[in-house]
């Protein structure tokens, strides 16, 4: 590959001679020590551009690529990429490496076979006329458009069957979902044989990790890294394929809703993972306690329907009936988790002794049930009462700490950089508004903090940070002073940011009054 190679991707326009009507973008990026120039059509898809980058980096479709700006921030690989000059190039990095092909010589033969197979395919494709290819492309485009419109309809709730409860998905959605899940599984398994780079593994241990840059299959790989790097596979004799099945099942049991989705599950688990490393918890608690905490974070919102406990109780849903109005959602999340663990192929607890299983189950139930915010004060007050005499060898103390750590991780979005945290608030408000709209329609009570006519982003955050986040985070920081900079300081900055916004809004409103 030469230094000045041009990479061109003009999918729709490939049979049209370049002219003024065709808009293309030119970007420059550094990969493997070379600066490359790429040109792509305005109608290229994110997948097209990723493919182009993969070609430049000379890696397979399974490798994970990340694109960085000159200032080091990650940029989404999408058609929205801003054009740049040769002097202000992006940096393209491959964040997984194919260790198996280096350490296992037998794979070389396999790779040669794959290359020759690919070569044959390329020759076959090249023989086809451009008409056939463009026809195929338009078919694919039309199919994509149909898929998007179906996705849109399901997002708007058109496919929701009110009478067969919120928990189950209706048939139309189910079919799309199954195909999407199959694709994610395929991608996850293909990528999981790759080695995630040291840099990413380290980054994963910090609260500044940006979830928005990762696809679902990639997040599954990262979750696998967390379980592996905490030595759970050896400590509990968990086979890699069983862990993969378990993680995939967890992914499948999160719903496609604005906030309580798989991305939220990933963020909570990643924050828990970060807290474990930042506080050096490995030296203070046993592997079983850490397994309970990480798995609780992972499972804590399984099959969340997008409507909270108050709604469940007021609307007298199946969940509220089943659990007698006592933390219906949290009971359900935990029951779904043990349903997944009851299946042979996804049972990561297979090799635990009966005593260990009992300990794990009791711990998970306590940690997941502790995420019901109605119990927030009860749990925080208990933690406060033992702080001055806290002893890591005391079983009761440990138990409260584990609940607090899961709770902190659960509501930790504002501890992340503003660019990561703010979109989460939009997602949360969207879910709140969906609920309050439905409550208004059904004539049920509406909580003011969920009401689109009463709440704004700043008003929502200033009270939540003042009365919930800071009191909780500062108590945990008493036990682990090192957390001050990682979770308390960013939350104080967020409070300042939203207080300024709130003041500005109030001033504007006062000025407008006659
Ligand atoms: P979860 O439902 O995720 O298990 O429990 C956390 C609850 O805390 C959320 O449902 C939501 O009500 C609240 N919460 C979490 N993060 C935020 C936030 O950033 N702002 C506000 N206003 N509420 C939050
Ligand atoms: Mn949650």
């Amino acid at each position: 590959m030469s230094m000045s190679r041009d990479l061109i991707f003009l999918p729709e326009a490939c049979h049209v001679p370049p002219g003024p009507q065709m808009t293309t973008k030119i970007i420059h990026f550094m990969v493997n020590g070379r600066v490359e120039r790429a040109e792509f059509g305005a109608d290229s898809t994110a997948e097209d551009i990723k493919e182009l980058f993969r070609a430049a980096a000379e890696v397979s479709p399974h490798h994970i690529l990340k694109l960085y700006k000159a200032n080091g921030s990650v940029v989404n690989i999408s058609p929205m990429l801003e054009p740049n000059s040769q002097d202000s190039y992006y940096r393209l990095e491959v964040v997984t490496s194919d260790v198996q092909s280096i350490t296992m010589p037998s794979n070389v033969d396999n790779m040669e076979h794959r290359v020759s197979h690919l070569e044959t395919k390329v020759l076959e494709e090249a023989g086809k006329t451009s008409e056939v290819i463009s026809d195929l492309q338009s078919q694919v485009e039309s199919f994509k458009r149909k898929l998007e419109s179906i996705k849109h309809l399901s997002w708007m709730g058109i496919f929701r069957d009110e009478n067969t409860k919120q928990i189950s998905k209706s048939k139309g959605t189910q079919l799309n979902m199954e195909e999407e899940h199959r694709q994610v599984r395929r991608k996850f398994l293909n990528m999981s044989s790759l080695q995630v780079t040291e840099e990413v593994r380290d980054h994963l241990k910090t609260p500044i990790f940006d979830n928005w840059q990762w696809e679902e299959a990639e997040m599954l790989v990262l979750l696998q890294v967390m379980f592996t790097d905490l030595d759970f596979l050896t400590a509990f004799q968990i086979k890699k394929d069983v862990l993969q099945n378990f993680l995939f099942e967890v992914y499948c049991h999160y719903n496609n809703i604005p906030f309580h989705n798989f991305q939220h599950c990933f963020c909570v688990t990643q924050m828990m993972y970060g807290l474990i490393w930042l506080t050096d918890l490995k030296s203070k608690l046993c592997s079983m306690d850490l397994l309970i905490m990480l798995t609780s974070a992972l499972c804590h919102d399984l099959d969340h329907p997008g409507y909270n406990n108050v709604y469940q109780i007021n609307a007298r849903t199946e969940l509220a009936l089943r659990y007698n109005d006592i933390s219906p959602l949290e009971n359900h999340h935990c029951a779904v988790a043990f349903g997944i663990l009851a299946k042979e192929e996804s049972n990561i607890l297979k090799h635990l002794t009966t005593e260990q299983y009992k300990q794990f189950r009791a711990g998970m139930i306590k940690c997941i049930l502790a995420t019901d915010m109605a119990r927030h004060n009860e749990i925080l007050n208990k933690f406060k009462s033992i702080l001055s005499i806290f002893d890591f060898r005391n079983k009761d103390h440990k138990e409260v700490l584990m609940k607090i750590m899961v709770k902190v991780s659960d509501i930790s979005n504002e501890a992340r950089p503003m660019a990561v945290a703010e979109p989460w608030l939009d997602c949360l408000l969207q879910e709140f508004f969906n609920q309050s709209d439905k409550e208004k329609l059904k004539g049920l009570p509406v909580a003011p903090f969920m009401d689109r006519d009463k709440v704004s982003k700043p008003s929502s955050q200033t009270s939540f940070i003042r009365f919930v986040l800071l009191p909780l985070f500062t108590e945990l920081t008493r036990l682990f002073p090192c957390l001050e900079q990682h979770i308390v300081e960013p939350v104080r900055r967020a409070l300042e940011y939203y207080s300024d916004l709130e003041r500005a809004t109030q001033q504007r409103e006062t000025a407008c009054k006659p």
Side-chain angles (χ1 to χ4, degrees):
M1 201 186 292
S2 76
M3 287 285 288
S4 59
R5 187 181 66 157
D6 278 359
L7 296 147
I8 304 183
F9 203 107
L10 304 166
E12 286 261 309
C14 59
H15 53 286
V16 179
Q21 79 281 19
M22 195 177 69
T23 47
T24 66
K25 272 190 198 174
I26 295 176
I27 60 154
H28 299 84
F29 60 98
M30 162 88 83
V31 59
N32 299 334
R34 304 174 307 261
V35 177
E36 301 273 16
R37 177 182 181 279
E39 185 173 349
F40 53 87
D43 50 359
S44 303
T45 64
E47 252 334 291
D48 295 336
I49 301 165
K50 280 184 188 166
E51 203 175 293
L52 183 148
F53 282 142
R54 283 197 190 99
E58 294 168 334
V59 293
S60 81
H62 312 313
H63 285 82
I64 304 176
L65 296 177
K66 293 288 156 214
L67 191 67
Y68 298 86
K69 276 190 192 161
N71 66 9
S73 60
V74 187
V75 249
N76 270 329
I77 301 178
S78 81
M80 307 297 284
L81 264 181
E82 282 176 29
N84 60 1
S85 70
Q86 203 163 2
D87 305 326
S88 61
Y89 52 79
Y90 293 114
R91 197 162 45 80
L92 180 67
E93 277 193 13
V94 185
V95 300
T96 50
S97 60
D98 204 344
V99 281
Q100 288 200 354
S101 65
I102 301 165
T103 52
M104 295 165 63
S106 63
N107 262 17
V108 174
D109 286 347
N110 184 22
M111 282 181 73
E112 271 182 1
H113 176 74
R114 278 168 54 196
V115 169
S116 104
H117 174 70
L118 266 178
E119 201 169 32
T120 319
K121 261 189 95 178
V122 168
L123 287 173
E124 275 171 17
E125 296 292 326
K128 290 181 183 155
T129 65
S130 62
E131 270 163 73
V132 174
I133 292 176
S134 92
D135 186 38
L136 276 175
Q137 268 170 347
S138 63
Q139 280 183 36
V140 169
E141 284 309 315
S142 137
F143 185 63
K144 274 189 194 162
R145 277 194 294 276
K146 270 188 203 148
L147 202 60
E148 276 309 307
S149 69
I150 291 168
K151 271 191 194 163
H152 184 68
L153 288 174
S154 73
W155 181 256
M156 307 269 292
I158 305 290
F159 288 126
R160 242 181 220 295
D161 184 350
E162 287 294 312
N163 298 323
T164 51
K165 72 189 180 287
Q166 313 147 16
I167 319 161
S168 71
K169 294 144 202 152
S170 59
K171 273 186 187 160
T173 322
Q174 192 77 43
L175 282 176
N176 296 331
M177 198 88 78
E178 276 169 14
E179 179 49 31
E180 202 174 310
H181 286 176
R182 257 197 299 278
Q183 280 180 19
V184 168
R185 183 179 170 84
R186 211 174 305 128
K187 242 177 160 177
F188 166 43
L189 297 183
N190 280 330
M191 284 189 302
S192 67
S193 61
L194 305 168
Q195 182 74 40
V196 174
T197 58
E198 213 44 54
E199 209 182 336
V200 174
R201 293 178 114 93
D202 287 345
H203 195 48
L204 199 56
K205 295 173 180 165
T206 71
I208 58 169
F209 192 85
D210 182 356
N211 65 282
W212 302 112
Q213 309 298 339
W214 302 81
E215 291 175 17
E216 286 162 332
E218 296 172 347
M219 284 187 248
L220 284 166
V221 173
L222 295 174
L223 289 168
Q224 188 182 319
V225 167
M226 295 181 209
F227 275 76
T228 313
D229 283 2
L230 282 172
D231 295 327
F232 293 157
L233 275 67
T234 36
F236 303 105
Q237 295 166 274
I238 304 171
K239 290 225 176 70
K240 200 172 109 178
D241 62 329
V242 176
L243 174 63
Q244 287 169 344
N245 289 338
F246 172 66
L247 293 174
F248 177 69
E249 281 298 313
V250 166
Y251 157 74
C252 292
H253 284 82
Y254 274 92
N255 293 323
N256 192 3
I257 53 177
F259 184 87
H260 290 97
N261 48 37
F262 177 65
Q263 279 81 355
H264 170 64
C265 142
F266 175 83
C267 283
V268 176
T269 314
Q270 190 270 324
M271 184 59 74
M272 173 58 79
Y273 183 69
L275 293 178
I276 288 173
W277 287 104
L278 291 172
T279 57
D280 190 22
L281 222 52
K282 273 179 95 175
S283 69
K284 299 176 180 82
L285 299 182
C286 63
S287 290
M288 174 56 85
D289 293 331
L290 300 183
L291 179 72
I292 291 170
M293 288 161 71
L294 198 80
T295 316
S296 296
L298 187 76
C299 299
H300 86 283
D301 271 334
L302 275 169
D303 197 32
H304 197 299
Y307 303 94
N308 73 5
N309 278 333
V310 175
Y311 175 87
Q312 303 297 328
I313 295 167
N314 289 339
R316 305 176 191 182
T317 63
E318 268 196 25
L319 281 183
L321 290 179
R322 189 181 309 153
Y323 294 110
N324 303 311
D325 296 351
I326 305 166
S327 303
L329 285 177
E330 291 70 20
N331 273 301
H332 181 61
H333 305 320
C334 196
V336 174
F338 280 96
I340 296 173
L341 288 166
K343 285 191 216 156
E344 176 76 12
E345 62 279 12
S346 52
N347 182 9
I348 56 168
L349 312 174
K350 206 179 311 197
H351 296 292
L352 262 54
T353 61
T354 310
E355 205 37 55
Q356 279 179 316
Y357 176 82
K358 271 190 190 164
Q359 197 189 340
F360 178 90
R361 179 161 164 82
M364 274 265 285
I365 294 173
K366 281 181 188 137
C367 284
I368 295 183
L369 293 191
T371 61
D372 182 350
M373 289 301 284
R375 294 181 55 205
H376 178 76
N377 287 336
E378 168 217 323
I379 297 166
L380 181 57
N381 287 338
K382 174 87 186 133
F383 185 59
K384 279 183 184 167
S385 75
I386 56 169
L387 250 182
S388 60
I389 49 156
F390 196 90
D391 182 354
F392 282 97
R393 291 160 304 180
N394 181 315
K395 197 170 154 287
D396 292 339
H397 292 191
K398 251 183 13 180
E399 222 175 83
V400 186
L401 173 64
M402 287 162 70
K403 290 179 189 169
I404 289 283
M405 298 275 282
V406 176
K407 278 175 60 52
V408 166
S409 307
D410 189 18
I411 55 175
S412 62
N413 287 334
E414 288 300 342
R416 296 183 182 274
M418 188 55 77
V420 181
E422 200 170 351
W424 274 117
L425 178 58
D426 294 321
C427 296
L428 183 67
L429 291 183
Q430 197 186 333
E431 204 171 290
F432 282 176
F433 296 160
N434 285 349
Q435 176 172 327
S436 57
D437 290 348
K438 189 163 172 161
E439 286 167 335
K440 286 175 189 173
L441 274 173
K442 290 188 165 214
L444 294 171
V446 177
F449 74 94
M450 289 194 166
D451 192 337
R452 61 170 79 246
D453 300 324
K454 299 197 174 125
V455 84
S456 68
K457 280 169 77 172
S459 69
S460 168
Q461 288 321 71
T462 47
S463 9
F464 188 72
I465 296 176
R466 272 200 198 104
F467 304 117
V468 182
L469 284 188
L470 282 177
L472 175 67
F473 287 16
T474 45
E475 291 307 323
L476 183 63
T477 306
R478 271 175 216 252
L479 188 63
F480 300 115
C482 64
L483 290 182
E484 173 83 23
Q485 66 180 110
H486 296 290
I487 60 169
V488 176
E489 284 175 14
V491 168
R492 285 196 209 285
R493 282 197 294 274
L495 177 58
E496 245 171 71
Y497 171 76
Y498 285 114
S499 302
D500 287 348
L501 278 178
E502 201 173 27
R503 259 192 303 277
T505 318
Q506 279 161 0
Q507 278 164 6
R508 253 201 319 274
E509 278 168 4
T510 321
C512 288
K513 275 195 184 135

